[in-house]
Amino acid sequence: MNDILRSVPNTDTCTSALIIKDGKILLGFRNYSTNVWTGGPTWTSPGGRCAGNETLETGLTREILEETGITDVLIKEHLGTVDGAKEGDKVEVFLCTSDQEPQLTEPDKFSEWKWFDTKQLPEKFINENIRSLIQERL
């Protein structure tokens, strides 16, 4: 897994952290005006596009910190690569753990962070490919 974490992706690559704590997954309600799958605001996992020459690991941990304030994330496993919301985008999905509670660090982007049972994900979910990955692997 270290090889993929150290790789420097192209600008069409995003990261997604499936953070698990006490058997639940962390999702944030993102205030999108539009979304390919839901048409508007939706639940999403922490993550985002890697910037400049960031490695996947650096981009993933930066996005987690920016969006949730979580600093103790442990990246456990690369779960796979799925298509993103924009044509041509790829999302590298990682299973992570944390002992911390999220903070609402970007209230202009997110309304709340909440822990969900992996078998009872919310209806409005940002990426159906990630939902399928969660249902298959977690």
Side-chain angles (χ1 to χ4, degrees), residues 14-31:
C14 300
T15 61
S16 178
L18 305 182
I19 301 175
I20 304 295
K21 179 180 173 188
D22 299 326
K24 296 188 182 244
I25 188 169
L26 180 63
L27 299 175
F29 196 70
R30 182 83 187 237
N31 303 320

Side-chain angles (χ1 to χ4, degrees), residues 32-41:
Y32 286 114
S33 57
T34 61
N35 175 272
V36 171
W37 283 281
T38 65

Side-chain angles (χ1 to χ4, degrees), residues 36-50:
V36 171
W37 283 281
T38 65
T42 187
W43 291 96
T44 183
S45 55
R49 196 169 303 281
C50 290

Side-chain angles (χ1 to χ4, degrees), residues 50-134:
C50 290
N53 287 326
E54 283 184 321
T55 63
L56 283 173
E57 180 176 24
T58 302
L60 181 68
T61 55
R62 175 185 52 77
E63 286 287 347
I64 293 167
L65 177 62
E66 287 176 0
E67 293 178 354
T68 69
I70 290 176
T71 59
D72 74 339
V73 69
L74 179 61
I75 304 168
K76 306 288 274 183
E77 182 181 353
H78 178 246
L79 294 178
T81 306
V82 299
D83 289 332
K86 290 187 198 173
E87 186 175 336
D89 276 1
K90 295 295 177 194
V91 181
E92 299 295 344
V93 183
F94 294 90
L95 175 63
C96 305
T97 59
S98 172
D99 290 326
Q100 296 178 336
E101 288 297 320
Q103 306 299 312
L104 194 57
T105 57
E106 294 183 314
D108 55 318
K109 294 181 181 177
F110 292 91
S111 299
E112 67 176 307
W113 288 99
K114 186 176 175 182
W115 297 98
F116 287 89
D117 185 300
T118 58
K119 305 299 183 211
Q120 297 178 340
L121 297 174
E123 184 176 320
K124 289 189 173 213
F125 198 78
I126 190 169
N127 187 319
E128 289 302 317
N129 299 319
I130 294 175
R131 179 195 296 273
S132 295
L133 195 60
I134 292 168

